[in-house]
Each structure stands twice: as structure tokens, then as C-alpha cells.
Amino acid sequence: GAGVSQSPSNKVTEKGKDVELRCDPISGHTALYWYRQSLGQGLEFLIYFQGNSAPDKSGLPSDRFSAERTGGSVSTLTIQRTQQEDSAVYLCASSLDSRRESNQPQHFGDGTRLSIL
Amino acid sequence: SQQGEEDPQALSIQEGENATMNCSYKTSINNLQWYRQNSGRGLVHLILIRSNEREKHSGRLRVTLDTSKKSSSLLITASRAADTASYFCATEKVGAQKLVFGQGTRLTINP
């Protein structure tokens, strides 16, 4: 399909383990976003990429969270030493470059449901 | 932190009736967007209204924006069972590309 693809769709892991989540954006979309959705906090912004650089990382909750993007395409979000409060749905979105033409809608993947035991 | 607040938190109506959801926000915005989320799925973009627009239509959807009151409404006319979902408003603040979401309205359409 031509939409945003995320993998895995579900991940269950033990507390203290590292996890890696993957996002494959829509082809041609230079902007990529990670959000987190949890019962207590709603939908929260984590990080924004423009190409391979991340001009806004303000939403990353701690230094256990990191993300990278290579080739201006696929992005991975890594959580080290997972804690139970990291349990949530992690959503990725992509859009055209809103710096060049503003007011671009974001297109979301179905998310990765992360459960920390 | 959430910028937007939505009301009601939950809405249950009969098929065929109109559904109205409201959203308020706090800062200056480039645009406001509405998304739908079905259970266990990602968000689907419905409509984007720019800060210089007051009303926008898309099929059975009508969105209004009042920047003086920092509020928006989403009207779904002639509702259908398939409209059952959670609806979120999201704002793109001036100078930022990220979206700030409201808490959402859970809409149930009863057949």
C-alpha cells in the first residue's frame, strides 16, 4: 500500500529490555513525526524529522528514548531499558515539507502497541 | 501537554441525527485539523482549516473556526453507524510543524 507502515504492530517485552520500532513513511514525504498515545496522557508529540535531521526533539520523555532517520525515509524509535510507564501505542506520521508549503495534513500509520511486563 | 480541550468527551446519538463536537485551544495557530480514529487503528485525516478560514465543508463534514474565541467545531450530518469512532482536533502552532492534540470525543452512532 501507499500509506505509512509501522512495524511491529504489537510488541510485548520485559521491563529493562531495549525495543526498536520502525516507521516507513509515504514515499516523497520529507517530514516524519513520532507520537505516543496512552490512556493517561492522550496523544503526545515525541520528535519531528525533516529529512534526516531532527529540528524538534522536545517531546522525548527521557534520555532512554532516541530516534534516527536514514536516507530521508525509514525511521526507527529506540527505547532503552524499558519501564512499565513506556507502555503505549507509538504512532508515526509523515507529511510533505510544511516549511515550503504550509498547512500540510499528517498521514498516520496504525501504530505499534507496546506492552512492558 | 495537551493544548486542546474537546467536548463532549463522549456522545451517543441515533443514526441519521447530526453530531457536533467542539474543540478549544490556547495559542496562535497556523491551522486546526480534525482526525478520526477507529478502535485499534491509526488516525485518519478528515479536514484541515487554516487560521484565515472560518468554515470548511467536506462531504457530510462541516468545520468552523473562531480564532477570536480559539475554538472550532466539527459537525457530522446524517450520521451513520460507520461514523462510530473517536474524533480528535489537533492544532499546528505558529512556528512549529508538530501537532498538539485534544483529548478526543468518543462518538457512538446507534442503529
Side-chain angles (χ1 to χ4, degrees), chain B residues 28-74:
Chain B
S28 295
I29 61 172
N30 284 331
N31 62 69
L32 185 144
Q33 305 180 34
W34 286 90
Y35 288 82
R36 183 186 74 224
Q37 185 178 38
N38 291 89
S39 181
R41 303 299 302 274
L43 282 79
V44 174
H45 181 262
L46 296 176
I47 198 164
L48 181 153
I49 186 165
R50 303 180 185 205
S51 60
N52 62 354
E53 296 176 315
R54 293 297 166 258
E55 187 171 313
K56 204 160 183 181
H57 297 254
S58 177
R60 294 183 296 112
L61 306 181
R62 172 177 170 253
V63 168
T64 62
L65 179 64
D66 187 336
T67 52
S68 67
K69 294 180 180 178
K70 292 187 168 54
S71 66
S72 174
S73 68
L74 170 67

Side-chain angles (χ1 to χ4, degrees), chain A residues 48-75:
Chain A
Y48 153 62
F49 285 93
Q50 186 58 242
N52 292 336
S53 64
D56 189 350
K57 308 179 184 180
S58 62
L60 294 179
S62 76
D63 59 9
R64 295 186 296 105
F65 287 71
S66 62
E68 65 174 13
R69 190 179 185 195
T70 54
S73 182
V74 171
S75 175

Side-chain angles (χ1 to χ4, degrees), chain A residues 35 37 41 43 98 103 110, chain B residues 2 31 37 41-42 97 99:
Chain A
Y35 295 88
Q37 185 174 29
Q41 300 298 322
L43 270 153
S98 59
N103 300 300
D110 282 340
Chain B
Q2 300 296 320
N31 62 69
Q37 185 178 38
R41 303 299 302 274
Q97 279 71 40
L99 293 177

Side-chain angles (χ1 to χ4, degrees), chain B residues 4 10 12-14 17 24-25 41 49-50 53 61 85-87:
Chain B
S12 181
I13 61 174
Q14 295 300 119
E17 294 180 338
S24 62
Y25 59 92
R41 303 299 302 274
I49 186 165
R50 303 180 185 205
E53 296 176 315
L61 306 181
S86 291
Y87 291 80

